[in-house]
Amino acid sequence: MGQAIAIEGLHCDGTESNEKWLEEMKRFLNFVFVLHRILAARSLLVTLAGAVALCAVGCTWVLEPIEQRFLFRPWSSDSSHLGLVASRENGIEEVRLKTSDGVTLHGWLKHPPGPSGRPFPLVIVFGGVRRETSWMIDQGDKPERWGWLFINYRGYGLSGGEPSERVLLEDAGLIYDYAAARPDVDPSNIVLLGRSLGAYFAVALAKTRPVRGAILATPFDSFAALGAERYPWLPVGLLLNGRYDVAGMAPTIKAPALFVLAERDDVTPVEHGTALARAWGGPQRTVTLEGARHYGIERRAEFWSAVGEFLRQIESSPTRQQVYAVEAGSRP
């Protein structure tokens, strides 16, 4: 009897030991499972991070052919007409610039009327996405003391090469440096005018070169914001990876700016222009053209009236901060 009890006791002890062992094994296996899940999650995160990094590095060469085919689509132009734009009589000088990769950029410098004397202030024009810029040379009532430089993007007008964000940013610096080095140009009085897409290149240039002011006509805050509005189901921001982000650069620029917006703009809607104006780091003024659409604002007298007033204030003001008695980001 006592032996049976002893054996039973041993059996009970063995069962308790087995249960403890099984419980420990269960805990160990749960730990291994959780560790596996953590490692798998980390592997997924590393993969995603790698994909994002790959996009950051590779999106340029992936997107450039897309840019060339779908973004930069200039209307055809008459090359024989463009060759006749410049003449001594009309004060328009033909300009050709050679880029570091051997491409020739073509455009015109419209000199101020009257006898040449001291160096003149200059407006450098960056056009929109569809047209070369010769048609703007004689548009509007421009202030007489100012010169105007129109250089077409690669692939536009008589400029060679293929356009892309990367090369056009480089070309913008070349155009500025050429203008500032001319003996007949006052390098301390250079203003940039960017129309639509050209606003991006004007703002990017203002971030890297000293400018007296910027005129931004029908601008946008960023391609990501435009894309998210039109294609909410696409990860536009991830794909663009910060490219064409005008508002991201705006707070660092302290030069005064004039924003000219078209009230019924369906290409770069007016709210995107006002968002850029709010982000601007210097004094600014916003003018909205009532009833205007995206195209054709250069044919409206109000556009050139606002531009002329801005340039006259630039010229008469000893410092760029005094051009507008308006706080940065406000709208009079």
Side-chain angles (χ1 to χ4, degrees):
M1 186 74 170
Q3 186 179 4
I5 294 172
I7 294 172
E8 187 176 348
L10 288 172
H11 176 72
C12 290
D13 290 342
T15 302
E16 290 175 1
S17 178
N18 287 340
E19 287 177 352
K20 289 179 180 179
W21 181 82
L22 289 173
E23 188 66 30
E24 290 297 325
M25 282 299 296
K26 187 184 294 184
R27 289 175 183 174
F28 174 74
L29 290 174
N30 283 336
F31 170 75
V32 170
F33 176 73
V34 171
L35 181 61
H36 171 74
R37 294 293 297 272
I38 291 173
L39 292 175
R42 286 187 62 186
S43 176
L44 177 61
L45 290 174
V46 169
T47 302
L48 289 174
V52 171
L54 180 62
C55 183
V57 173
C59 272
T60 296
W61 62 265
V62 170
L63 291 179
E64 277 192 6
I66 299 174
E67 286 177 323
Q68 292 165 3
R69 183 170 181 180
F70 296 104
L71 176 59
F72 298 103
R73 296 182 297 158
W75 291 328
S76 60
S77 53
D78 183 353
S79 58
S80 59
H81 166 72
L82 298 181
L84 300 174
V85 170
S87 74
R88 186 182 298 272
E89 289 72 25
N90 61 18
I92 299 173
E93 174 188 348
E94 194 167 20
V95 175
R96 286 184 171 85
L97 302 178
K98 186 74 75 173
T99 67
S100 60
D101 58 345
V103 172
T104 298
L105 305 180
H106 178 270
W108 305 270
L109 174 62
K110 183 177 177 62
H111 290 259
S116 58
R118 59 192 177 97
F120 53 80
L122 181 71
V123 178
I124 302 176
V125 177
F126 295 93
V129 74
R130 301 305 302 274
R131 301 184 69 171
E132 59 83 27
T133 57
S134 66
W135 69 279
M136 291 181 63
I137 295 176
D138 291 324
Q139 286 287 323
D141 184 17
K142 301 180 179 71
E144 290 190 350
R145 272 214 6 95
W146 287 76
W148 292 74
L149 181 61
F150 303 84
I151 303 293
N152 277 321
Y153 301 137
R154 298 183 185 217
Y156 286 60
L158 300 181
S159 289
E162 292 286 341
S164 72
E165 178 199 23
R166 176 181 55 83
V167 296
L168 295 189
L169 287 171
E170 294 173 0
D171 292 348
L174 173 68
I175 293 167
Y176 177 97
D177 294 342
Y178 159 79
R182 286 184 61 115
D184 53 356
V185 169
D186 179 1
S188 67
N189 267 325
I190 292 179
V191 171
L192 309 178
L193 190 157
R195 171 73 153 96
S196 190
L197 178 65
Y200 169 67
F201 296 109
V203 172
L205 182 59
K207 186 179 178 182
T208 62
R209 300 291 194 280
V211 299
R212 192 69 193 280
I215 302 167
L216 306 175
T218 61
F220 57 93
D221 46 355
S222 71
F223 268 16
L226 287 174
E229 184 176 278
R230 298 185 184 187
Y231 310 105
W233 45 274
L234 275 177
V236 179
L238 178 63
L239 291 172
L240 289 172
N241 192 38
R243 303 175 74 207
Y244 296 100
D245 183 6
V246 193
M249 297 182 286
T252 66
I253 302 170
K254 307 306 178 185
L258 169 67
F259 293 85
V260 184
L261 312 180
E263 182 184 34
R264 300 174 63 189
D265 195 330
D266 58 354
V267 177
T268 53
V270 68
E271 57 267 24
H272 292 275
T274 55
L276 179 60
R278 287 194 299 269
W280 196 256
Q284 59 89 5
R285 179 189 178 203
T286 299
V287 173
T288 301
L289 303 181
E290 186 176 351
R293 295 185 179 275
H294 187 80
Y295 298 104
I297 64 170
E298 293 88 351
R299 296 187 177 91
R300 297 184 62 143
E302 313 99 286
F303 173 80
W304 293 106
S305 174
V307 169
E309 179 187 355
F310 180 78
L311 294 179
R312 282 188 289 272
Q313 292 187 3
I314 285 276
E315 193 175 9
S316 63
S317 175
T319 62
R320 62 185 61 176
Q321 284 75 18
Q322 295 177 358
V323 174
Y324 288 124
V326 178
E327 292 184 0
S330 68
R331 176 175 175 171

